[in-house]
Amino acid sequence: MNNSRLLKEWKQLIKSGNKYNITPITDEDLTHWQCILQGPNKSLYQGFNFTLKILIPIDYPMSPPQVKFIPNTMPHPNVDWNTGVLCLDVLKNMWSPIFNLQYIVECVIRLLNEPNGDSPLNLELGTLLRLGDHSGYNGLIKYYLHHHQSHHGDANIII
Amino acid sequence: MNQADKIVENLGKKKNKTIVTNLLSSSQCHICHEILNIPIMLSCGHNYCYMCLKSWFKTNENRLLGCPDCRKSVDVTPAFNLFLDHQLKFILNLVKEKGVDSKWDQTLSEREQDEAIYKNDVAKDMLFANVFKNSTLSVVDMDDDGIPRCGNCHWELDPDDMDEEENVCPHCHYRIRNNVAPADSENVMSGSVRSIANDLRRRAEEYSEGEYDDIIDDIRRYSDSDLESGVDDYISHEDSANRNMSLHDNEAIDEDANSKSENEDELEEEHDSEMDSFIENDEEDNDEEIMDSEDEPSSMSRKRKYSVLDDDEENQINNDANSSEQDSDFYEHNEDEGFVSGDSLDDGSDNEVAQNDQEMDEAESENEEDVSSRKRSRRGQVVLSDDE
């Protein structure tokens, strides 16, 4: 079931235009996927691209896929800066087998728009958000983004 | 020609084709994205393949089972959807007759394999890998202090003793499929009262301790309740209560039960019982029958009197219900200040409620009275039907 469902998802993605650029890393192996995520409009991440790595477990869709950003690329309260691991309930205890890859990516985009200060993996950003220091929060994210961009060139400005 | 034939004839060939296409595409299992095989329906109406649901339940064995689509908790063993199975088999056979490629044959043989597994599971009585066997849900009765209990044997469950991985009832060893949590006492409050209470709690430091509790009590008592109707209720109730005391006849109970069951609003009931106890307070001085209340020192706190009177009423109604045991029962409870040990459960929940009334702090005693008055009204109804 594992492979046939992933194959169906892949076909479905191609058919529907694949607007989030979700692709398997190699065509033979459908357990490693990646997604080039564009920073959502009107968010601090607008204009930046991020790479999302998706690892499909053997018992997918009964277990959720492991999703993470490339380490040291995503400044976000719910993303560990050093490992890129996300804190997202639908990828943990709220997982349901009806979710598919596209839905997961949509959830990640929603997380970028709506950071949650209550379960931070990035403590600095989480604290700033919880204390309501918006200028500090925005400034730190911008600093991270530009600092990272100038040093690694992975997240390139597309405007 | 029956109605179904007429419809098909009127639609024409092209429409019939779209109907079959739509039927097949809407009969997909949301888990494996294939056409449903051995459709199993949950209580919410969502259908999944037996094999898909089995593995989903198996991976979630130690959590509350939920519908993958709507998350509604799966309390009972889901059932095989025979009707849908027949329809899908019929359509698939039609396709088969038309002649299909080898891939389709493979799909069909896979379906047959799964069906064999299902039949085997049914024969061995181990559906869903026994997830639903020897397991139950913890239940919380709001009328019983909101203590979580085993759904199978009603043994009291302690949330602190429960293991995150595997909850097991210490008494009957059934697996508990949901989280064991005591009910929040605030759940008893109605929505508007809760919002006012929360608002007050935020400003709680402005009040002294007792003052704050009193205010909360007052709000609970009077919000939403119409004062005038409350007084009317109180008069009719007082009438029946008086007769109840002196006559101990069934008619009085009938009326009592009626006047209470009409009284749907909990808050009104509360109001009513409170007024009642004020009146009985006055009667204490000359009414010999309320022995228990007379024994109480008059300097007792207001709240304690309430609970004692409450107990009194409980006893009387209880005595009426079991008139054969009336005397022994009545005096047993009234001799030693009206209370027996809370552990003696042989006399049902009445003693427990009374006992708990005393242990409760002031704020919660109102809730408790409310609960017990509801219990009383229910008991009244039961008695009524017994008489008939």
Side-chain angles (χ1 to χ4, degrees):
Chain A
M1 181 167 66
N2 175 4
N3 254 329
S4 79
R5 176 170 150 165
L6 279 169
L7 204 60
K8 273 174 181 275
E9 278 194 42
W10 182 212
K11 281 179 185 163
Q12 180 65 34
L13 278 170
I14 295 170
K15 209 170 137 191
S16 64
N18 200 357
K19 61 175 172 176
Y20 300 116
N21 295 316
I22 308 164
T23 47
I25 290 175
T26 59
D27 275 351
E28 296 85 49
D29 179 20
L30 288 179
T31 57
H32 289 76
W33 295 64
Q34 73 172 14
C35 163
I36 310 295
L37 203 70
Q38 291 181 11
N41 286 347
K42 290 174 187 165
S43 77
L44 293 165
Y45 308 98
Q46 185 175 6
F48 291 90
N49 280 358
F50 305 92
T51 305
L52 204 59
K53 296 271 185 194
I54 304 171
L55 178 65
I56 308 286
I58 296 167
D59 57 349
Y60 178 82
M62 297 309 157
S63 300
Q66 290 172 28
V67 180
K68 60 180 196 175
F69 286 99
I70 289 181
N72 305 313
T73 59
M74 174 47 84
H76 187 279
N78 306 109
V79 180
D80 190 319
W81 172 255
N82 291 321
T83 62
V85 171
L86 283 96
C87 178
L88 193 57
D89 59 351
V90 291
L91 292 174
K92 295 193 174 92
N93 55 342
M94 295 301 274
W95 170 255
S96 159
I98 66 160
F99 296 159
N100 56 23
L101 294 174
Q102 177 158 342
Y103 181 80
I104 292 165
V105 172
E106 280 167 1
C107 283
V108 173
I109 292 172
R110 210 176 306 150
L111 185 72
L112 295 189
N113 281 320
E114 299 160 17
N116 179 1
D118 293 330
S119 59
L121 284 175
N122 187 327
L123 289 175
E124 292 165 321
L125 286 171
T127 313
L128 286 172
L129 181 68
R130 236 191 357 262
L131 296 177
D133 183 354
H134 294 297
S135 64
Y137 175 78
N138 294 353
L140 191 56
I141 286 184
K142 276 181 186 150
Y143 169 77
Y144 267 126
L145 286 171
H146 287 275
H147 175 82
H148 159 80
Q149 184 260 335
S150 59
H151 279 258
H152 300 270
D154 270 359
N156 36 8
I157 295 181
I158 54 167
I159 295 173
Chain B
M1 193 186 276
N2 66 24
Q3 208 171 6
D5 290 338
K6 264 186 206 159
I7 292 170
V8 172
E9 189 144 289
N10 289 341
L11 282 173
K13 265 194 178 173
K14 205 179 165 189
K15 268 275 168 62
N16 282 337
K17 206 174 170 183
T18 34
I19 289 174
V20 174
T21 320
N22 282 340
L23 195 70
L24 279 180
S25 65
S26 65
S27 306
Q28 269 192 357
C29 167
H30 286 185
I31 297 181
C32 64
H33 295 190
E34 307 276 354
I35 295 167
L36 279 164
N37 190 20
I38 319 163
I40 304 281
M41 187 160 85
L42 303 180
S43 59
C44 51
H46 289 110
N47 288 273
Y48 305 94
C49 303
Y50 171 70
M51 294 306 282
C52 297
L53 214 51
K54 185 181 173 180
S55 44
W56 170 240
F57 286 164
K58 193 72 195 153
T59 47
N60 282 275
E61 205 176 359
N62 295 324
R63 277 199 279 146
L64 178 59
L65 302 176
C67 168
D69 267 285
C70 64
R71 296 194 193 282
K72 184 179 185 293
S73 84
V74 182
D75 300 342
V76 290
T77 316
F80 174 57
N81 193 337
L82 185 71
F83 174 74
L84 190 55
D85 190 54
H86 274 217
Q87 291 217 319
L88 291 173
K89 279 214 176 100
F90 175 72
I91 293 167
L92 291 177
N93 279 334
L94 275 184
V95 182
K96 202 177 172 184
E97 281 166 17
K98 288 271 176 188
V100 277
D101 54 1
S102 59
K103 202 185 157 203
W104 183 251
D105 281 340
Q106 196 197 330
T107 324
L108 285 181
S109 76
E110 274 173 20
R111 291 175 72 89
E112 275 163 19
Q113 278 171 23
D114 285 352
E115 203 166 332
I117 295 173
Y118 171 71
K119 279 179 180 158
N120 187 35
D121 282 358
V122 172
K124 287 186 175 167
D125 190 23
M126 46 184 283
L127 278 176
F128 301 105
N130 285 340
V131 165
F132 292 94
K133 262 221 191 128
N134 294 333
S135 74
T136 182
L137 297 169
S138 77
V139 291
V140 170
D141 185 0
M142 290 317 294
D143 287 357
D144 189 23
D145 286 350
I147 295 165
R149 289 177 185 278
C150 168
N152 181 50
C153 67
H154 281 222
W155 191 263
E156 201 172 298
L157 299 172
D158 187 352
D160 299 331
D161 284 353
M162 287 295 154
D163 192 355
E164 187 87 343
E165 285 305 306
E166 175 126 336
N167 293 340
V168 173
C169 170
H171 182 243
C172 64
H173 301 292
Y174 266 42
R175 201 164 50 78
I176 310 292
R177 296 202 302 269
N178 58 349
N179 290 331
V180 178
D184 190 356
S185 65
E186 283 188 21
N187 289 346
V188 187
M189 288 192 243
S190 72
S192 60
V193 176
R194 195 181 309 150
S195 71
I196 299 169
N198 285 340
D199 191 43
L200 272 171
R201 188 163 303 130
R202 252 178 271 127
R203 295 156 47 191
E205 59 267 31
E206 292 173 25
Y207 301 97
S208 67
E209 219 167 274
E211 195 181 10
Y212 168 71
D213 288 339
D214 283 347
I215 291 169
I216 294 285
D217 283 353
D218 284 347
I219 291 168
R220 276 193 209 150
R221 212 170 297 142
Y222 295 112
S223 75
D224 304 335
S225 79
D226 184 353
L227 195 67
E228 274 186 50
S229 75
V231 170
D232 286 343
D233 280 333
Y234 133 71
I235 290 169
S236 68
H237 174 72
E238 187 222 9
D239 268 353
S240 58
N242 277 343
R243 256 193 288 164
N244 210 351
M245 268 179 244
S246 50
L247 297 174
H248 285 293
D249 66 358
N250 288 331
E251 259 177 62
I253 299 176
D254 285 0
E255 257 195 62
D256 193 35
N258 285 338
S259 74
K260 285 202 173 173
S261 58
E262 277 165 21
N263 197 356
E264 289 291 323
D265 193 335
E266 290 168 17
L267 286 160
E268 276 182 20
E269 257 187 55
E270 209 170 284
H271 181 80
D272 157 15
S273 69
E274 195 220 351
M275 291 292 249
D276 204 15
S277 52
F278 268 122
I279 295 297
E280 282 177 12
N281 254 339
D282 296 336
E283 286 172 355
E284 268 175 42
D285 302 328
N286 44 23
D287 195 340
E288 287 292 320
E289 216 168 316
I290 312 173
M291 302 158 67
D292 180 41
S293 308
E294 278 203 338
D295 291 340
E296 296 289 329
S298 57
S299 63
M300 290 296 289
S301 76
R302 208 177 56 156
K303 164 231 145 196
R304 192 169 158 82
K305 263 183 192 165
Y306 282 177
S307 57
V308 167
L309 285 163
D310 210 43
D311 179 36
D312 229 312
E313 278 184 42
E314 294 272 344
N315 275 331
Q316 277 163 11
I317 288 168
N318 194 28
N319 287 335
D320 289 339
N322 325 299
S323 49
S324 57
E325 298 166 17
Q326 179 185 320
D327 290 333
S328 63
D329 221 43
F330 187 78
Y331 292 108
E332 187 185 313
H333 294 314
N334 284 271
E335 263 161 19
D336 50 344
E337 288 247 337
F339 299 105
V340 288
S341 148
D343 287 330
S344 78
L345 295 167
D346 41 353
D347 194 33
S349 54
D350 300 20
N351 292 326
E352 241 184 314
V353 171
Q355 183 83 5
N356 285 327
D357 265 357
Q358 286 217 318
E359 287 166 1
M360 286 289 152
D361 56 291
E362 185 142 354
E364 279 176 5
S365 80
E366 283 299 329
N367 271 339
E368 207 48 41
E369 276 187 26
D370 174 19
V371 164
S372 64
S373 71
R374 251 186 292 153
K375 272 194 167 179
R376 254 178 287 143
S377 78
R378 202 178 304 153
R379 194 177 303 120
Q381 283 163 338
V382 170
V383 170
L384 185 69
S385 63
D386 277 349
D387 287 344
E388 283 165 6

